[in-house]
């Protein structure tokens, strides 16, 4: 149990950032960090870089930047490495992704073209729409995990790294439910040796990271680290973990709007969501098995926020539909349409229409940065296992057995900031405020 006001080790030395999947999200993140370091861009969307935190009473007017309040690693100390099934270096991959302007990429080219992906753990059994030449081979999945650990050690030594963090930025894998191979660490390790098909590539990376005492975040809706075997390993190795599925476009809007409807006790009859996107993620999700994984993540949000069991007269029987369409001309510029049928006083119907023309990787990149810095902080605080305070960043946040996940964006943010206050020995903020009027 973490005590209030813990001793936090300083962020001295270089922090290695390990990324399975050097595609649109990760190259946008890496190139963006390099641009910010050169002071030619701003870290818009990053809580660690731009966010503030109120301390004490409102009358005290103590509102420091988060990065001035807790000891986070400096952007200058981040060193990047990762794996991908394609051999393109980070610059080449970013150009192909088409997210960032060529002029910006040219500015950071000397820094990012040095980053060349290591051969990836990959099988089309889990991501049917992709195929690439830069893939590891081994007689079983335990050997693959050992190869990943060897990559990590070589990276650590080459750059003289003090600490590391791993963030999964790879594709959405085929839908999978937890089974016998995931029930315990012993069963999981037997399954690795046996090449069990229930061990997906993302799990191999997570196992390798946790075995090396490296914090792990899962940015996709894959099962990955959200299984008893790997939560057990995280506890055993005293490593923080979190996930899953970066909360970026349409689901971000749901976690803003649904709490507003519920707070005003407005009823919901239906919520229809459709997306078009043309990047690699869209191509992967064009496969029904991968879409099923994403659908499960996106559908869970409304039920958990609206709590139909507590408010049956408002939310018991609403219809929730989610559709994703691969549309190559759109590239990384995803478009989400939502039609929301609500009702108010005396049951009179109303509608909300949303057309969110967003940029998927632009929204995801600052999430990756924040997770890297916050997970490193958690490790230096001695925190281990599931980090529910980082639910703010995920569509389908991990949580302890027996609990339900918290999806309300504003409650999530309050939990995150209260965790930071707790770690630094500051009073938690309840927003009660009655003392001002006594």
């Amino acid at each position: 149990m973490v005590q209030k006001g813990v001793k936090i080790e300083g962020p001295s030395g270089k922090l290695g950032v390990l990324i399975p999947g050097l595609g649109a999200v990760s190259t946008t993140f890496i190139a963006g960090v390099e641009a910010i370091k050169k002071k030619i861009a701003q870290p818009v969307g990053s809580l660690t870089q731009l966010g503030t935190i109120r301390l004490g009473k409102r009358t005290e007017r103590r509102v420091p930047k988060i990065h001035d309040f807790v000891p986070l690693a400096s952007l200058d100390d981040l060193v990047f490495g990762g794996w991908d099934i394609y051999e393109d270096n980070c610059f080449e991959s970013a150009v192909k992704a088409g997210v960032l302007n060529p002029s910006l990429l040219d500015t950071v080219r000397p820094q990012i073209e040095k980053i060349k992906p290591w051969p990836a753990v990959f099988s089309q059994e889990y991501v049917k729409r992709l195929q690439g030449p830069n893939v590891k081979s081994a007689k079983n999945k335990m050997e693959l995990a050992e190869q990943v650990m060897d990559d990590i050690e070589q990276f650590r030594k080459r750059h003289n790294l003090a600490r590391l963090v791993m963030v999964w930025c790879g594709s959405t894998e085929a839908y999978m439910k937890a089974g016998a191979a995931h029930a315990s660490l012993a069963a999981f390790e037997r399954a690795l040796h046996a090449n069990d098909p229930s061990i997906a590539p993302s799990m191999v990376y997570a196992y390798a990271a946790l075995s090396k005492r490296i914090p792990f975040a899962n940015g996709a809706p894959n099962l990955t680290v959200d299984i008893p075997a790997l939560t057990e390993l995280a506890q055993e190795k005293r490593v923080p973990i979190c996930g899953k599925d970066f909360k970026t476009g349409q689901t971000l809007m749901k976690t803003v709007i649904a709490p507003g409807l519920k707070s005003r006790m407005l009823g919901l009859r239906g919520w229809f969501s459709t997306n078009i996107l043309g990047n690699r993620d869209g191509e992967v999700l064009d496969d029904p098995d991968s879409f099923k994984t994403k659908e499960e993540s996106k559908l869970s949000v409304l039920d958990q926020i609206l709590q139909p069991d507590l408010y049956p007269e408002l939310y018991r029987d609403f219809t929730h539909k989610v559709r994703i369409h691969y549309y190559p001309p759109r590239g990384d510029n995803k478009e989400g349409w939502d039609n929301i049928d609500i009702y108010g006083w005396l049951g009179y119907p109303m509608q909300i229409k949303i057309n969110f023309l967003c940029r998927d990787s632009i929204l995801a990149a600052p999430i990756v940065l924040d997770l890297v810095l916050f997970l490193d902080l958690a490790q230096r605080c001695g925190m281990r296992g599931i980090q529910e305070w980082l639910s703010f960043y995920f569509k389908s946040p991990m949580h302890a057995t027996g609990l339900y996940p918290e999806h309300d964006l504003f409650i999530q943010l309050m939990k995150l900031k209260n965790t930071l206050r707790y770690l630094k020995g500051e009073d938690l903020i309840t927003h009660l405020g009655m003392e001002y009027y006594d």
Side-chain angles (χ1 to χ4, degrees), residues 18-21 81-84 118-122 134-138 140-156 158 164-166 168 192 200-212 214 216:
L18 296 161
I19 307 175
W83 301 261
D84 202 89
W118 311 311
V121 178
F122 179 78
N134 200 35
V135 177
K136 294 185 186 299
S137 60
N140 60 47
K141 293 175 181 180
M142 180 60 85
E143 278 198 3
L144 290 173
E146 290 167 351
Q147 289 182 33
V148 171
M149 292 184 219
D150 186 57
D151 292 337
I152 293 169
E153 278 309 306
Q154 290 186 44
F155 180 59
R156 188 199 303 267
R158 186 182 315 122
L164 296 107
V165 171
M166 185 182 291
W168 173 270
L192 284 171
S202 63
M203 295 177 180
V204 174
Y205 284 104
Y207 174 80
L210 298 180
S211 296
K212 303 294 289 184
I214 295 170
F216 184 92

Side-chain angles (χ1 to χ4, degrees), residues 147-205:
Q147 289 182 33
V148 171
M149 292 184 219
D150 186 57
D151 292 337
I152 293 169
E153 278 309 306
Q154 290 186 44
F155 180 59
R156 188 199 303 267
K157 291 174 183 175
R158 186 182 315 122
H159 297 284
N160 192 28
L161 302 173
R163 306 172 315 284
L164 296 107
V165 171
M166 185 182 291
V167 181
W168 173 270
C169 293
S171 297
T172 299
E173 295 171 332
Y175 182 68
M176 185 181 294
K177 288 185 176 181
H182 310 130
S184 69
L185 180 56
F188 186 88
E189 291 179 334
R190 287 194 298 271
L192 284 171
H193 283 289
N195 266 338
D196 193 314
S198 63
I199 306 297
S202 63
M203 295 177 180
V204 174
Y205 284 104

